[in-house]
Amino acid sequence: MSEITNLIAEGRAKRLYATENEDEAVVYYRDETVAFHGLKRGRIIGKGEINNLICEYMFTLLTEKGVPNHFIRRVDNRCSLVKRVEIIPFTVTVRNIAAGSLARRIGLPDGTRLRNPVIEFNLKNEELEDSLLNVTHITALNLATTAEVRQIEMMSRRVNEILSECMSGIGIELIDFKVEFGRYKGEILLADEVSPDTCRFWDANTHEPLDLDRFRHDLGDVEEAYREVLHRLTGNVLRSNEEEA
Ligand code: UDP
């Protein structure tokens, strides 16, 4: 791998570094976490390592299933090498079961199964609480073309099918998840991360959350839940508990 040169971006959950190869970047996964559009902040010890391993597993699976994504390979405990994409400035949320903001917005109890997956787009802007967008907003604001949105939606649906099947095989229900996409050499790639920070995972038997909702709602055993997801996915029992640098 070519050497890291400088910090490109620092978010709460990740840092992104440039490398000598301008087509690649290094993601460093942090223990820091935020919820409710940045209003609640905290730290989940060891989360960076766990999410790095979970993302390696998820992106490798998605590559095998033909979903083009930014992941190249894991570099060490907390870092992975990725393609340096130009992030498209809206997020995509796919929902199978109503929870969180959707449950509040449309007045359905948490846990209500939806008759079909719901796809939502949100502006990447924390100050505006990540405003909900539809396709006409996206094209009017020149965030992406109609053809790009169509492709992004198709890829998001495919990710939902692949992840739902994978999680169901390890006794976990995929409630919803948020993904981001980027442009790279004329192609659209799935980017960002797929982890308990960005997905709602419920144990299929107990319906207990195994994700960031444990932090959002002070449910306790946050680290244990993240470890449980990694363990069920990969068999990896991570014990290092190393704090981030
Ligand atoms: N999500 C995320 N980042 C955000 C907001 C939401 O990764 O800034 C994920 C969240 O973990 C869940 C899905 O997107 O899996 C849908 O979240 P929702 O819109 O219900 O918002 P929240 O309840 O997190 O405010």
Side-chain angles (χ1 to χ4, degrees):
M1 187 189 83
S2 48
E3 290 296 304
I4 283 177
T5 51
N6 56 293
L7 183 69
I8 306 169
E10 173 146 28
R12 240 84 58 170
K14 298 186 288 297
R15 295 190 192 116
L16 190 68
Y17 294 94
T19 70
E20 283 168 353
N21 180 343
E22 62 181 28
D23 290 335
E24 296 176 354
V26 168
V27 184
Y28 173 95
Y29 289 87
R30 308 184 63 192
D31 289 351
E32 290 293 317
T33 194
V34 290
F36 307 121
H37 311 289
L39 290 179
K40 180 167 177 170
R41 289 154 195 250
R43 172 173 287 203
I44 301 171
I45 304 298
K47 171 172 81 76
E49 275 185 87
I50 299 171
N51 279 359
N52 190 29
L53 289 165
I54 292 178
C55 285
E56 175 186 31
Y57 183 90
M58 295 298 199
F59 282 122
T60 304
L61 172 71
L62 291 163
T63 301
E64 281 167 15
K65 302 275 186 186
V67 178
N69 64 74
H70 73 159
F71 183 78
I72 300 174
R73 65 185 159 81
R74 188 165 63 80
V75 175
D76 61 23
N77 287 356
R78 281 177 180 266
C79 293
S80 285
L81 187 67
V82 297
K83 293 175 183 161
R84 188 170 172 180
V85 303
E86 174 211 341
I87 286 286
I88 298 174
F90 61 85
T91 63
V92 183
T93 300
V94 182
R95 303 173 181 273
N96 299 305
I97 290 182
S101 68
L102 176 72
R104 286 195 296 279
R105 227 182 310 130
I106 59 178
L108 277 178
D110 259 38
T112 310
R113 179 159 286 282
L114 300 160
R115 290 189 62 182
N116 51 264
V118 167
I119 316 271
E120 291 171 358
F121 305 106
N122 289 83
L123 191 63
K124 272 172 64 75
N125 185 327
E126 229 170 46
E127 279 170 28
L128 296 176
E129 297 190 354
D130 304 323
S131 324
L132 192 62
L133 305 173
N134 65 29
V135 180
T136 66
H137 293 112
I138 291 172
T139 52
L141 298 172
N142 200 23
L143 305 182
T145 64
T146 311
E148 284 178 326
V149 182
R150 208 174 293 134
Q151 192 186 340
I152 285 169
E153 184 179 328
M154 212 174 64
M155 287 170 75
S156 304
R157 288 181 187 280
R158 185 70 190 122
V159 171
N160 186 39
E161 288 165 3
I162 296 165
L163 294 188
S164 294
E165 189 189 336
C166 162
M167 299 315 285
S168 137
I170 55 169
I172 292 176
E173 250 186 315
L174 179 64
I175 306 304
D176 59 32
F177 63 93
K178 185 259 326 176
V179 280
E180 297 183 20
F181 291 85
R183 300 185 183 94
Y184 180 82
K185 297 179 190 278
E187 219 192 333
I188 300 230
L189 302 182
L190 176 71
D192 196 47
E193 66 178 289
V194 179
S195 76
D197 273 4
T198 58
C199 304
R200 284 196 170 92
F201 294 138
W202 290 3
D203 181 276
N205 290 320
T206 65
H207 305 299
E208 276 286 307
L210 297 169
D211 57 57
L212 193 66
D213 271 351
R214 301 206 73 82
F215 167 79
R216 287 190 185 97
H217 306 302
D218 300 316
L219 301 177
D221 294 335
V222 189
E223 288 88 353
E224 289 75 4
Y226 278 62
R227 262 172 230 291
E228 177 68 20
V229 173
L230 174 66
H231 182 235
R232 289 200 209 176
L233 279 174
T234 67
N236 188 332
V237 184
L238 197 64
R239 296 210 186 276
S240 81
N241 249 346
E242 162 208 290
E243 284 205 49
E244 68 181 62

